[in-house]
Amino acid sequence: MKFESSYLQRVYDGLESRNAEQKEFLQAVAEVLESLEPVVAANPELERWGIIERIVEPERIIQFRVSWVDDNGKVQVNRGYRVQFNSAIGPYKGGLRLHPSVNLSVIKFLGFEQIFKNSLTTLPIGGGKGGSDFDPKGKSDMEIMRFCQAFMTELEKHIGADTDVPAGDIGVGGREIGFMYGQYKRLRNEFTGVLTGKGLTYGGSLARTEATGYGLCYYTQEALKSLRNTDFNGKTVAVSGAGNVAIYAIQKAYQLGGKPVTCSDSTGWIYDPEGIDVDLLKEVKEVKRARLTEYAAARPSAEYHEKKNGEHGVWSVKCDIALPCATQNELDENDAKMLIDNGVLAVCEGANMPSTPAAIEALKKAGVLFGPAKAANAGGVATSALEMSQNSERLHWTFEEVDEKLQHIMTGIVHNSLDAAAKYGLDGDLVAGANIAGFEKVADAMIAQGVAY
Ligand SMILES: NC(=O)C1=CN([C@@H]2O[C@H](COP(=O)(O)OP(=O)(O)OC[C@H]3O[C@@H](n4cnc5c(N)ncnc54)[C@H](O)[C@@H]3O)[C@@H](O)[C@H]2O)C=CC1
Ligand SMILES: O=C(O)CCC(=O)C(=O)O
């Protein structure tokens, strides 16, 4: 990775040599630092205060053993993580991921992205992320509960409503948050807003379930309006994933006049030319926790395709708007070329870092509107921060109040990103704008607080 600034080059080279095996983390850092070239050139005090070398190094990494008992009475062992990356603007905040692919590189990339995303929301939340290589697939409810309790038995020592507030991510939804919350309460004897994404009967916020997918569509709508003078109306939408983010992105895309025609899981994908049936998708994924073959079996208009390596999957379908909502690096350069050849207008990221650097370059070069994850999917964590506010005042807001605040935050992110990009002569660049706007607030707070971490 080559930088114009010798300061950025030195910091990145040092980071790379110390973390050579952490590919996802280095990828996330490289993308942010590239955007910061003009900021570093214009602000020499960043180097004097060591801001870049501090911001790429987590304040604290916690790694722990999670031992739990399966349904056969056999002890199983997993590895747990919490990376408390940056607390300059608020308590650490970010989700927990349960997936066999979880390792320190994945959690560090997610925690690093979270710093800038959380800053973009304009709310007082720092950056953190955690999880485990535990695989929830095929586990009974009781196994999930015993794992979550074991995980929280260690995590409890490091978190708190004013210290670090975890939430869901891949493999962690309402069921898992409930089990973890119950265990935290049992250990601490405290009823407090230590997790977000809680159930509505015990302190959760209305609209948190919908927030990431809805927020993604609000962001996309505003970016389309500002940069292309158009909107979702009458557009064909390709969505990947079939989890929390994908489901509610599909639902909101319909409400805004679009037609979502695809979704996917780790084993295959659906093309439904009549439009995805959201109620059926929710039944298959949220209630039955089944594979998409069940969707296809119940829906005559749907085509089911097995996932095959090297094929484009949902990105082979002709669409106007593409919303990757599954996982990191799921949209590569070949997929981007396919989308471009099919005339895509906009790609906005619901998942974290779903597009490879080469894909982003190809899309931007072809003039496709590109909305980066840390801006486009910030609606989830923003609404988590609204859940924290409601917990602090021990009140509940209506769905409409929360949704209105979410819309305001997402449209604000588009405009703050465009303003930050324009300040450095990068008009219309939503990637640079998001990185710069997110960074500037955190850097200011770090300088104001002296050499605290
Ligand atoms: N849940 C939230 O509030 C937020 C989630 N995100 C990101 O959105 C993405 C999806 O998360 P959720 O919908 O919450 O998770 P989820 O667990 O509800 O669903 C995950 C989806 O991704 C698919 N998936 C996971 N790993 C995959 C793989 N290796 N290959 C293909 N498909 C895979 C799953 O089949 C499923 O459809 C993740 O990147 C997550 O970090 C970002 C912001 C907030
Ligand atoms: O709601 C939260 O605190 C976390 C959401 C999250 O993990 C993310 O934004 O990637």
Side-chain angles (χ1 to χ4, degrees), residues 30-202:
E31 189 220 275
V32 171
L33 296 195
E34 205 178 357
S35 298
L36 296 182
E37 293 268 20
V39 185
V40 166
N43 298 285
E45 76 277 14
L46 293 172
E47 181 166 2
R48 186 162 74 88
W49 282 100
I51 293 299
I52 304 296
E53 48 273 60
R54 284 201 273 153
I55 216 164
V56 298
E57 194 63 34
E59 288 173 12
R60 194 173 296 108
I61 294 178
I62 300 139
Q63 184 183 311
F64 50 100
R65 181 170 67 206
V66 188
S67 306
W68 56 280
V69 183
D70 70 17
D71 284 347
N72 298 319
K74 163 104 181 59
V75 174
Q76 301 287 344
V77 178
N78 287 99
R79 191 172 276 184
Y81 303 90
R82 186 72 183 166
V83 173
Q84 298 180 329
F85 225 117
N86 193 297
S87 62
I89 63 169
Y92 309 106
K93 182 88 195 84
L96 298 170
R97 177 175 292 192
L98 300 183
H99 194 271
S101 63
V102 164
N103 57 35
L104 190 54
S105 173
V106 168
I107 299 297
K108 279 178 72 179
F109 114 65
L110 290 163
F112 183 71
E113 289 282 288
Q114 205 79 43
I115 303 170
F116 309 98
K117 180 192 311 196
N118 293 4
S119 167
L120 283 169
T121 67
T122 69
L123 301 169
I125 38 179
K129 198 86 184 193
S132 171
D133 58 2
F134 172 79
D135 186 358
K137 221 175 266 169
K139 303 288 190 299
S140 71
D141 283 350
M142 289 300 141
E143 287 180 322
I144 297 285
M145 183 181 77
R146 288 192 292 272
F147 172 83
C148 289
Q149 290 178 338
F151 184 80
M152 184 51 87
T153 300
E154 176 58 33
L155 190 66
E156 167 269 328
K157 301 176 183 115
H158 312 284
I159 62 176
D162 294 314
T163 308
D164 182 354
V165 183
D169 189 79
I170 291 179
V172 177
R175 174 181 61 168
E176 293 74 18
I177 292 291
F179 292 149
M180 289 187 200
Y181 192 74
Q183 183 71 352
Y184 184 88
K185 197 156 55 69
R186 171 159 75 173
L187 294 167
R188 289 282 187 103
N189 197 23
E190 269 175 20
F191 200 105
T192 174
V194 68
L195 294 170
T196 60
K198 299 187 290 298
L200 297 176
T201 51
Y202 62 94

Side-chain angles (χ1 to χ4, degrees), residues 113-368:
E113 289 282 288
Q114 205 79 43
I115 303 170
F116 309 98
K117 180 192 311 196
N118 293 4
S119 167
L120 283 169
T121 67
T122 69
L123 301 169
I125 38 179
K129 198 86 184 193
S132 171
D133 58 2
F134 172 79
D135 186 358
K137 221 175 266 169
K139 303 288 190 299
S140 71
D141 283 350
M142 289 300 141
E143 287 180 322
I144 297 285
M145 183 181 77
R146 288 192 292 272
F147 172 83
C148 289
Q149 290 178 338
F151 184 80
M152 184 51 87
T153 300
E154 176 58 33
L155 190 66
E156 167 269 328
K157 301 176 183 115
H158 312 284
I159 62 176
D162 294 314
T163 308
D164 182 354
V165 183
D169 189 79
I170 291 179
V172 177
R175 174 181 61 168
E176 293 74 18
I177 292 291
F179 292 149
M180 289 187 200
Y181 192 74
Q183 183 71 352
Y184 184 88
K185 197 156 55 69
R186 171 159 75 173
L187 294 167
R188 289 282 187 103
N189 197 23
E190 269 175 20
F191 200 105
T192 174
V194 68
L195 294 170
T196 60
K198 299 187 290 298
L200 297 176
T201 51
Y202 62 94
S205 173
L206 284 161
R208 174 61 187 91
T209 304
E210 294 84 354
T212 310
Y214 278 23
L216 170 64
C217 291
Y218 295 146
Y219 175 94
T220 306
Q221 177 91 337
E222 188 66 17
L224 282 170
K225 205 171 89 187
S226 305
L227 294 170
R228 298 287 186 275
N229 197 25
T230 186
D231 56 25
F232 265 94
N233 217 8
K235 305 283 190 303
T236 300
V237 185
V239 177
S240 65
N244 173 265
V245 181
I247 289 172
Y248 293 96
I250 289 170
Q251 189 170 75
K252 183 52 72 178
Y254 271 125
Q255 290 171 12
L256 295 173
K259 185 181 183 190
V261 293
T262 65
C263 62
S264 65
D265 64 16
S266 47
T267 50
W269 59 281
I270 294 283
Y271 172 50
D272 192 340
E274 289 189 5
I276 297 292
D277 180 334
V278 190
D279 292 333
L280 176 60
L281 184 62
K282 286 170 82 166
E283 172 73 17
V284 170
K285 284 293 172 184
E286 289 183 343
V287 181
K288 294 187 181 162
R289 301 177 192 277
R291 290 183 50 189
L292 283 174
T293 41
E294 291 218 11
Y295 177 98
R299 177 93 172 155
S301 59
E303 287 171 19
Y304 177 78
H305 301 262
E306 284 289 337
K307 182 178 172 180
K308 291 197 188 113
N309 281 343
E311 290 191 352
H312 296 291
V314 299
W315 313 126
S316 63
V317 172
K318 186 171 167 51
C319 66
D320 304 303
I321 299 171
L323 303 175
C325 297
T327 194
Q328 64 268 11
N329 293 326
E330 53 155 312
L331 194 164
D332 67 14
E333 189 180 6
N334 289 329
D335 299 326
K337 285 185 178 149
M338 185 96 206
L339 287 165
I340 294 163
D341 289 348
N342 281 333
V344 74
L345 187 65
V347 176
C348 291
E349 300 184 315
N352 283 308
M353 206 169 74
S355 316
T356 64
I360 299 172
E361 203 184 319
L363 291 165
K364 285 172 75 177
K365 214 160 143 195
V368 175

